[in-house]
Amino acid sequence: MNVYDPAYQEFIARLRRARGEKGLTQVQAAKLLKKPHSYISKCELGERRVDFVEALKFAQIYGKSVLFFSKNLHD
């Protein structure tokens, strides 16, 4: 799957949504993950692919189940 795949685009939309629902800026999220701000930005823009372990870390800091990021299981 490439970053232009509709399912991946949905994933990154949910990544942005989860951060917003948690009330975090990209800078705050980056600090929680001990990553540079550019890491969050690139992940949310689809410039950097997020692997499963990273998705688990995002889910943890955003207070979401990893299933939240799945297009077919929610909404």
Side-chain angles (χ1 to χ4, degrees):
M1 179 183 320
N2 67 49
V3 297
Y4 301 107
D5 184 282
Y8 195 77
Q9 289 298 308
E10 178 67 21
F11 168 76
I12 61 176
R14 287 172 185 260
L15 196 61
R16 289 189 299 269
R17 180 173 141 194
R19 181 178 54 78
E21 288 178 0
K22 187 67 174 180
L24 295 172
T25 65
Q26 288 184 345
V27 172
Q28 292 167 323
K31 285 181 182 179
L32 289 171
L33 290 170
K34 298 180 172 109
K35 300 280 188 181
H37 167 249
S38 61
Y39 169 82
I40 302 293
S41 178
K42 288 178 181 181
C43 289
E44 290 186 359
L45 291 171
E47 293 176 5
R48 184 190 183 288
R49 290 206 37 106
V50 176
D51 69 26
F52 184 72
V53 173
E54 291 168 326
L56 290 173
K57 290 178 183 177
F58 277 113
Q60 182 180 20
I61 69 162
Y62 295 156
K64 301 285 187 187
S65 163
V66 74
L67 298 177
F68 170 83
F69 301 106
S70 172
K71 178 179 181 180
N72 296 325
L73 297 177
H74 293 279
D75 295 350

